[in-house]
Amino acid sequence: MGEVRRPASNQRAPLEDWMTIVQFDGKGGVRALPDEEEAGFKTPTTGFALVSGSAKAPEFRAWLKKEVGEFYADLICVPSTRSRCTVFDDQALVVLRVARPGAEPDDIGRQLLSLWLEKGRVIVAAELNIVDFLGIAQWQRTRHAPITPADLVARLALRAADRIEPLTERLSDKLDEVEEELVMERLTDTRSKLAALRRTIINMRRLIWPQRDVLTTLEIEDLSFFTDRDRIRLREAALRTARLGDEMQTLSERAGLVHEQLLDTRAEEMNRNMLVLAAATVVFMPLTVISGLLGMNVEGIPFHDSPWAFWLVTGGLAALGVAIYLFMHKRKWM
């Protein structure tokens, strides 16, 4: 937890291009340090500091290796496919994944947040602008900023949940549309739409449930700088994330029921078609047998020399067909 060193201008980019430092006074106040104060900034004795940079910036990676060591710097900067929480002595590494702004449910474009928590300081390696994501400008006006590192993590998790919640509502609306199409029996693209929805719901669940586990794990860890209030805040964020997970589970179950209903509808349609074919077979099978017998090219066919025999047989077959149809219709077989 040493001093932030500014690299020489002829060797590296200016500090503000690859690192942002925000100071929290522990009483709800916050301020982003101007460039002239960043170079000599040290970890405050009261409150805490937020140091944010891009994991892709070589200058930030080099600074991390000096501050926390090469091993921990690599853990912070290496991309992760899942959220996780790992504790090292009195420090913690928390990885969160956030949906990108303006994302659609089927393309959430997850962004990575790696947080290194220690007493008096939070280091964030992020793929997004952490100052805008947190809304620090609003905190400066309202003086309602986080007062501890754990409080900051809880706020980050809640902001991540805020991005996921409208996506959940859109998924619910799309599922409602699929159900309506199913009721109206417009089945042209229903199956493909439902399959895409189920894939999206699975991806969303993979984003939400690990996030809940991260917050729950961090809440129960025995870190010396965590207070009872911190654990309550983390529990609230975990419960909010769990509620989103429950909504995803509900949508998944609804999608499963809609899929079963779609299968039943297709089965009923197939049964109706098979019933029509069976009825046609019952009606035309006797006619086919009779016409086949009369069509044999052998001696003994009745009326084979009579010019009116064709119309007699045709009329008889038509009458027989109508009689069979009326009989089946009366018995409600068709």
Side-chain angles (χ1 to χ4, degrees):
M1 295 188 292
E3 177 181 342
V4 178
R5 301 174 180 85
R6 180 188 293 277
S9 60
N10 60 347
Q11 295 177 350
R12 296 181 180 176
L15 185 62
E16 64 272 14
D17 290 343
W18 54 270
M19 181 183 292
T20 301
I21 301 177
V22 181
Q23 185 173 1
F24 298 82
D25 62 9
K27 299 179 182 179
V30 58
R31 70 186 186 100
L33 266 62
D35 181 53
E36 59 270 13
E37 293 186 31
E38 285 182 338
F41 177 77
K42 294 182 179 180
T43 302
T45 56
T46 59
F48 68 99
L50 168 65
V51 182
S52 174
S54 173
K56 298 179 181 179
E59 297 87 356
F60 184 65
R61 294 175 69 98
W63 178 85
L64 275 176
K65 291 179 181 179
K66 292 180 181 179
E67 290 293 311
V68 301
E70 184 173 357
F71 175 74
Y72 296 131
D74 289 340
L75 288 179
I76 295 172
C77 293
V78 171
S80 176
T81 57
R82 295 182 68 86
S83 303
R84 70 179 189 273
C85 175
T86 309
V87 174
F88 305 94
D89 296 328
D90 202 31
Q91 301 160 324
L93 172 65
V94 176
V95 178
L96 302 176
R97 299 189 72 82
V98 183
R100 62 176 172 78
E104 292 296 328
D106 54 350
D107 182 22
I108 55 180
R110 304 168 189 172
Q111 295 177 313
L112 180 68
L113 281 176
S114 294
L115 299 95
W116 179 258
L117 303 180
E118 57 189 19
K119 186 175 182 179
R121 185 171 66 175
V122 179
I123 300 174
V124 180
E127 299 174 353
L128 68 158
N129 188 324
I130 198 69
V131 175
D132 293 339
F133 179 67
L134 286 171
I136 290 178
Q138 182 180 0
W139 290 345
Q140 288 176 323
R141 294 191 300 269
T142 61
R143 293 191 60 82
H144 190 57
I147 61 177
T148 62
D151 192 7
L152 177 64
V153 175
R155 301 280 187 99
L156 282 169
L158 290 173
R159 291 297 170 88
D162 289 339
R163 285 192 178 181
I164 295 174
E165 190 166 8
L167 302 182
T168 304
E169 294 176 357
R170 289 185 206 172
L171 281 176
S172 180
D173 292 340
K174 289 186 177 182
L175 190 55
D176 290 341
E177 292 175 3
V178 171
E179 286 182 308
E180 183 180 358
E181 290 180 359
L182 189 59
V183 171
M184 301 298 293
E185 296 187 354
R186 298 196 299 265
L187 305 179
T188 305
D189 299 325
T190 304
R191 188 173 184 180
S192 59
K193 290 179 180 178
L194 182 59
L197 273 176
R198 297 184 74 180
R199 286 194 299 270
T200 302
I201 291 173
I202 291 172
N203 290 332
M204 294 285 285
R205 288 172 61 189
R206 288 175 179 171
L207 174 65
I208 295 172
W209 285 123
Q211 212 104 304
R212 177 207 60 178
D213 295 338
V214 165
L215 297 170
T216 303
T217 301
L218 187 62
E219 175 200 344
I220 63 176
E221 289 296 340
D222 189 20
L223 296 174
S224 64
F225 53 93
F226 274 18
T227 64
D228 292 339
R229 182 184 182 278
D230 291 336
R231 301 185 191 281
I232 292 174
R233 293 287 292 161
L234 289 171
R235 190 180 306 122
E236 290 174 353
L239 290 175
R240 169 79 182 283
T241 306
R243 284 195 295 270
L244 290 175
D246 291 339
E247 291 181 16
M248 280 294 117
Q249 182 65 27
T250 302
L251 288 177
S252 179
E253 293 173 358
R254 279 184 59 196
L257 293 175
V258 173
H259 182 256
E260 292 179 3
Q261 187 178 356
L262 176 61
L263 293 179
D264 291 343
T265 302
R266 293 174 65 88
E268 290 177 3
E269 183 179 0
M270 184 176 296
N271 289 337
R272 286 196 298 268
N273 294 335
M274 293 299 296
L275 180 61
V276 172
L277 291 175
T281 301
V282 171
V283 171
F284 288 100
M285 180 63 72
L287 308 183
T288 302
V289 172
I290 295 173
S291 61
L293 290 173
L294 295 178
M296 291 187 298
N297 192 18
V298 295
E299 291 292 338
I301 299 298
F303 311 111
H304 67 281
D305 291 330
S306 300
W308 46 265
F310 171 78
W311 299 108
L312 177 64
V313 172
T314 301
L317 292 177
L320 179 61
V322 171
I324 295 174
Y325 172 80
L326 293 176
F327 176 79
M328 294 182 64
H329 185 70
K330 184 177 181 181
R331 294 297 184 93
K332 299 186 183 302
W333 291 349
M334 61 179 301

